[in-house]
Amino acid sequence: MINISAEQGIYSTPVEIRVAASVTQLPIVRGLAETLVLLSDFTLDEVADIRLAVDEVCSTLIAVALPETSLLCRFTIGETELLVHVSGIAANEGLPDQRSFGWHVLRTLTDSVEATQNPYDSTASGYPTTVEFRRVRGKA
């Protein structure tokens, strides 16, 4: 059990959600992201940017996901930034296309974004793939 004091709030305590790797689950993940950043003193413009970035990351991983798998989304809010870590199991080897329009949007909306992929996992029957981005609060 995690005990969060009133002084600490939600800072530094990761919040995780696991959802089916399906576009039908996007509103749930977007809603959680929006709620967390609204409670963390991000501006409304930053909230909109983060919501769009989360949507793009999840959509990208859903597009390459092995059927019947899930996405694990972890949000960590620090004193000055948000770190979002989304992982899933890709059906095929290869990172998301970092020359795509969606990846350009991610680079524009975030302070850093990185995709990684592990070798084939026979237990999962696919390639564990992660996209992680960072957004600093109050940065112009």
Side-chain angles (χ1 to χ4, degrees), residues 59-103:
S59 295
T60 297
L61 289 177
I62 288 168
V64 300
L66 190 66
E68 307 299 320
T69 59
S70 60
L71 296 181
L72 175 63
C73 307
R74 183 175 65 234
F75 304 89
T76 307
I77 300 171
E79 291 295 326
T80 61
E81 67 184 8
L82 167 71
L83 181 63
V84 177
H85 177 100
V86 182
S87 58
I89 304 297
N92 298 305
E93 186 175 17
L95 291 173
D97 183 2
Q98 296 181 16
R99 297 167 300 167
S100 70
F101 177 74
W103 201 263

Side-chain angles (χ1 to χ4, degrees), residues 36-138:
L36 289 172
V37 294
L38 280 170
L39 294 173
S40 303
D41 298 324
F42 282 85
T43 67
L44 292 179
D45 286 341
E46 291 169 329
V47 171
D49 289 351
I50 290 166
R51 184 180 159 119
L52 184 56
V54 166
D55 187 78
E56 186 59 41
V57 167
C58 291
S59 295
T60 297
L61 289 177
I62 288 168
V64 300
L66 190 66
E68 307 299 320
T69 59
S70 60
L71 296 181
L72 175 63
C73 307
R74 183 175 65 234
F75 304 89
T76 307
I77 300 171
E79 291 295 326
T80 61
E81 67 184 8
L82 167 71
L83 181 63
V84 177
H85 177 100
V86 182
S87 58
I89 304 297
N92 298 305
E93 186 175 17
L95 291 173
D97 183 2
Q98 296 181 16
R99 297 167 300 167
S100 70
F101 177 74
W103 201 263
H104 175 71
V105 168
L106 279 172
R107 281 194 309 267
T108 302
L109 297 175
T110 64
D111 293 291
S112 65
V113 60
E114 181 182 9
T116 58
Q117 187 174 69
N118 292 337
Y120 183 81
D121 181 335
S122 59
T123 304
S125 300
Y127 299 87
T129 305
T130 299
V131 176
E132 185 172 271
F133 74 81
R134 184 174 146 266
R135 175 65 189 251
V136 176
R137 184 186 307 110

Side-chain angles (χ1 to χ4, degrees), residues 2-57:
I2 297 173
N3 184 12
I4 302 172
S5 70
E7 296 82 28
Q8 181 187 12
I10 61 174
Y11 296 117
S12 301
T13 303
V15 175
E16 293 184 350
I17 185 171
R18 183 179 297 274
V19 296
S22 166
V23 294
T24 62
Q25 301 302 302
L26 286 174
I28 295 167
V29 179
R30 282 193 308 255
L32 176 60
E34 180 178 29
T35 300
L36 289 172
V37 294
L38 280 170
L39 294 173
S40 303
D41 298 324
F42 282 85
T43 67
L44 292 179
D45 286 341
E46 291 169 329
V47 171
D49 289 351
I50 290 166
R51 184 180 159 119
L52 184 56
V54 166
D55 187 78
E56 186 59 41
V57 167

